[in-house]
Amino acid sequence: MKKLSIVVPCYNEELTIVPFLEATQKVEALMANELTFDYIFVNDGSKDRTLEVLREVASKFDNVHYLSFSRNFGKEAGLLAGLEAADGDLITVMDADLQDPPELLQEMYAKIQEGYDVVGTRRADRKGEPLIRSLFAKTFYWLINQISSTEMVDGARDFRLMTRQVVDSILDLKEVNRFSKGLFSWVGYDVAYVAYENRERIAGETSWSFWSLLRYSMDGFINFSEAPLNLAMWAGGGSFIASLLGIAFVVIRKLTIGGSIAGWASLVTIILFIGGLQLLALGIIGKYIAKIFLETKKRPVYLVKEKG
Ligand code: UDP
Ligand code: MG
């Protein structure tokens, strides 16, 4: 029988792990004649009792395992650690807060049997989400799909069922700065999507603030597009051409009409404009260099302190 590995990154999820496990085990019982389940929880440096809860459930059930990081490394690191540890023929990634409904697994598995390599999930709507957040999310997806050749689906969650082959391909991407939404899509394969209504997390709090989401989306741009660099280049090119026209204008006027004008204010504005452009371009280049710096250090993405 085929084995399904379920990877669950956890950060401060002491309240949700048990309900999550219970809900998923119901689905496990329903699918028992098709698949065996295996759980890999990754404790991402939680500050609450998550680790104790994980130790407990792991000793209670043979098919529940956990990894515990030495500190908080972020959800991307948790995902990577879980995928590396997973040895199933099929692998799925789920949040611990039951925002990813386990009941969907049956429908997703049916699609895998139809021949798809990946079955992703997307939210049918953004109900229950603050308006400003939806607006930013929509803008992000629109913009990144304009400028990046890797397609990213609006509303797609990390919750996805993948074959062994797909996961191996994802693990072949050795970059240290991991933007999973992009990596999942970059590897390609035949992807089907299942839509469902947005759910609220059952307990605890989201660990994403508006600013951390904004920073995350910046990572998406830098990791999956050269557009910011091109923007800097075009802006530089544009102002260079404008300055050539300006020089021509000044020279021709000097030779024809003669004299010079009082232009203190306009001069200062232009200097500020050019200075600003240069700093902006430097900043953009700096962002990419910082990424290169992080990549070349080849530090491990996570450190495991305890396994069970
Ligand atoms: N998570 C994690 N490390 C972090 C932040 C979050 O492993 O640094 C996990 C978290 O426990 C949850 C999943 O990632 O299982 C999604 O997090 P959350 O529910 O806070 O995000 P949201 O659903 O609001 O996007
Ligand atoms: Mg959540």
Side-chain angles (χ1 to χ4, degrees), residues 95 97 99 157 201 206:
D95 287 0
D97 56 11
Q99 280 189 303
R157 306 225 5 130
R201 85 178 358 259
T206 174

Side-chain angles (χ1 to χ4, degrees), residues 38 48 56 137 217:
D38 190 58
D48 63 0
E56 234 163 78
S217 58

